[in-house]
Amino acid sequence: MINKTYPIAEKLLTTGLNLSSKLLNLLTTEADSLKQHADSKVISNIAFNKKETVAQLDQFSRQMTQVLATEKLQMSPSGIDAYFQKAKSVNLNTSKSSLLWQEIISIAKQCKLLNEKNGASLNLLAQHTQRSLQIIKGKSQQATTYGRDGSTYSERLSQTLISV
């Protein structure tokens, strides 16, 4: 069966590498846009494209899972390795596929790190925006204060500075 599925796996791995590279490029563009304080529409467009790319990567993963299932293997690093070993055992050249898989793993690690950094940047921007809105509404910048008895109070004695 591996003789029939291996060419499919090679094509899937090529697609997976292209999609992983596309996601890395989107994340890099997003990071650059965040550094340059780009318009929110630019960031939203990047987010939309990331969502589409991740959906395509999910499809790639499901298809690879099906290919591996034909050999009763799981979609995991050990399952992929076992698949390549089975392919070698029937004299299929796995050098290209192995290289594609290693590149996918490497890019995925880069994507994870960059996505975490971008998420932290977006979270920080959201916190600044929230604080700015609280100031405009006349609310305390400190979210929580403590009373004599140790109980907490939030946004006591706030007055609106401006109304819209």
Side-chain angles (χ1 to χ4, degrees):
M1 183 61 116
I2 198 161
N3 288 324
K4 293 180 183 178
T5 63
Y6 191 75
I8 295 167
E10 271 189 322
K11 287 179 184 176
L12 286 174
L13 289 167
T14 299
T15 299
L17 179 59
N18 291 336
L19 290 170
S20 298
S21 296
K22 180 180 178 181
L23 182 60
L24 181 60
N25 287 335
L26 287 167
L27 288 165
T28 302
T29 302
E30 181 181 53
D32 293 342
S33 296
L34 288 168
K35 286 177 189 172
Q36 297 169 3
H37 307 291
D39 186 87
S40 63
K41 289 180 183 179
V42 171
I43 302 295
S44 293
N45 188 37
I46 293 169
F48 176 79
N49 289 330
K50 284 191 323 183
K51 187 176 180 179
E52 280 187 347
T53 304
V54 168
Q56 292 170 343
L57 279 165
D58 188 47
Q59 177 69 22
F60 155 75
S61 180
R62 284 193 302 273
Q63 290 170 334
M64 278 302 297
T65 299
Q66 290 174 340
V67 167
L68 292 171
T70 63
E71 298 297 324
K72 297 182 174 100
L73 298 169
Q74 298 290 318
M75 179 61 171
S76 65
S78 61
I80 294 285
D81 289 341
Y83 185 79
F84 290 150
Q85 289 303 320
K86 283 188 175 196
K88 282 182 186 177
S89 71
V90 294
N91 295 323
L92 293 171
N93 184 356
T94 62
S95 58
K96 179 183 174 187
S97 295
S98 295
L99 183 61
L100 289 170
W101 179 248
Q102 292 307 313
E103 288 182 51
I104 289 170
I105 296 298
S106 174
I107 291 172
K109 289 176 182 176
Q110 293 173 55
C111 286
K112 180 182 177 192
L113 181 63
L114 197 49
N115 191 53
E116 288 172 356
K117 287 180 181 179
N118 291 352
S121 294
L122 287 168
N123 187 36
L124 188 60
L125 288 172
Q127 287 176 3
H128 286 293
T129 301
Q130 206 51 28
R131 284 185 189 152
S132 298
L133 288 172
Q134 288 175 346
I135 291 169
I136 290 171
K137 292 179 180 180
K139 295 181 180 179
S140 169
Q141 288 187 34
Q142 289 185 323
T144 306
T145 56
Y146 298 93
R148 290 182 186 165
D149 61 355
S151 58
T152 59
Y153 297 94
S154 295
E155 303 176 12
R156 292 183 357 189
L157 303 172
S158 64
Q159 297 177 356
T160 303
L161 296 175
I162 190 171
S163 67
V164 184

